[in-house]
Amino acid sequence: GNSVTQMEGPVTLSEEAFLTINCTYTATGYPSLFWYVQYPGEGLQLLLKATKADDKGSNKGFEATYRKETTSFHLEKGSVQVSDSAVYFCALSERLGANSKLTFGKGITLSVRP
Amino acid sequence: KAGVTQTPRYLIKTRGQQVTLSCSPISGHRSVSWYQQTPGQGLQFLFEYFSETQRNKGNFPGRFSGRQFSNSRSEMNVSTLELGDSALYLCASTRAGGLYADTQYFGPGTRLTVL
């Protein structure tokens, strides 16, 4: 079956530091890949997505590239802010067909110090 | 466009009771999915509804059920509540119906506490 593995957390960074959050996946087909972010007390917000190999998703300074050869979708940001403190989830869904089910990684908590 | 709305936002129940949670999808979205989020198990898929039919189901006991109405609004029901059902229940909607799976947009969730 499908699965998503995220690096262990939590992660604590100083403001303006570089961020990398690793995500690898296992899927039988050709999945779409997502990063969702969850702020305290809220639901999940879509951060970015990529639907095929070599696609790069980007939003709010965050980027992730769909690497089929390494089955990875690592999240990066060049300079984090205190407001980026949240929980980040990597997820996949089957791209073809009517199956909208998302498979999530365990999530990683990011704390950014001023 | 209004986002996904969920009601109520918070619920406190006791063991053995049942509970119904409601979800209104984004206007024009026809698919609604439900997820359970707990600290131990993370985010787990419960089920998906499309055009009033359950299209996909996760690995949860039969105490968890749902339905979808003709206006795409969805409800999920948990009967005979157990302490382990305490969780954040998230609803997500997609346009759906096409060849490719669409992006899911989430509501704020309903926090259920079982005492």
Side-chain angles (χ1 to χ4, degrees), chain A residues 39-59:
Chain A
Y39 298 100
E42 297 185 13
L44 300 177
Q45 296 180 22
L46 176 67
L47 183 57
L48 52 83
K49 69 176 184 180
T51 58
K52 60 183 187 298
D54 300 325
D55 267 3
K56 178 187 279 188
S58 61
N59 185 28

Side-chain angles (χ1 to χ4, degrees), chain B residues 6-27:
Chain B
Q6 292 187 246
T7 57
R9 290 293 309 276
Y10 302 92
L11 266 178
I12 299 176
K13 293 286 187 179
T14 57
R15 277 181 298 175
Q17 287 187 309
Q18 74 164 16
V19 68
T20 299
L21 313 181
S22 181
C23 171
S24 292
I26 293 170
S27 177

Side-chain angles (χ1 to χ4, degrees), chain A residues 49-100:
Chain A
K49 69 176 184 180
T51 58
K52 60 183 187 298
D54 300 325
D55 267 3
K56 178 187 279 188
S58 61
N59 185 28
K60 300 180 182 179
F62 291 90
E63 291 183 340
T65 301
Y66 189 138
R67 302 286 188 199
K68 187 168 181 290
E69 64 276 14
T70 55
T71 62
S72 65
F73 192 54
H74 304 322
L75 182 68
E76 296 183 335
K77 186 175 185 183
S79 176
V80 294
Q81 307 299 312
V82 172
S83 58
D84 294 328
S85 298
V87 183
Y88 291 80
F89 294 92
C90 184
L92 69 81
S93 73
E94 292 296 335
R95 196 166 68 93
L96 287 175
N99 185 355
S100 297

Side-chain angles (χ1 to χ4, degrees), chain B residues 92-113:
Chain B
S93 77
T94 71
R95 284 175 303 171
L99 179 62
Y100 298 104
D102 284 321
T103 300
Q104 295 193 29
Y105 296 91
F106 284 81
T110 294
R111 172 74 63 185
L112 172 64
T113 302

Side-chain angles (χ1 to χ4, degrees), chain B residues 21-100:
Chain B
L21 313 181
S22 181
C23 171
S24 292
I26 293 170
S27 177
H29 285 198
R30 299 161 61 192
S31 165
V32 172
S33 297
W34 289 89
Y35 295 83
Q36 182 195 63
Q37 185 179 21
T38 60
Q41 299 299 317
L43 281 152
Q44 294 185 285
F45 173 77
L46 280 156
F47 29 65
E48 182 207 0
Y49 285 85
F50 176 74
S51 291
E52 303 179 61
T53 301
Q54 188 180 88
R55 188 162 69 172
N56 204 355
K57 189 178 189 303
N59 189 26
F60 278 81
R63 299 185 298 107
F64 292 82
S65 63
R67 60 177 174 167
Q68 187 180 33
F69 302 95
S70 58
N71 62 357
S72 296
R73 191 177 70 85
S74 177
E75 290 180 346
M76 69 163 281
N77 185 276
V78 188
S79 62
T80 320
L81 284 166
E82 300 177 359
L83 294 179
D85 297 334
S86 294
L88 181 67
Y89 289 89
L90 292 163
C91 165
S93 77
T94 71
R95 284 175 303 171
L99 179 62
Y100 298 104

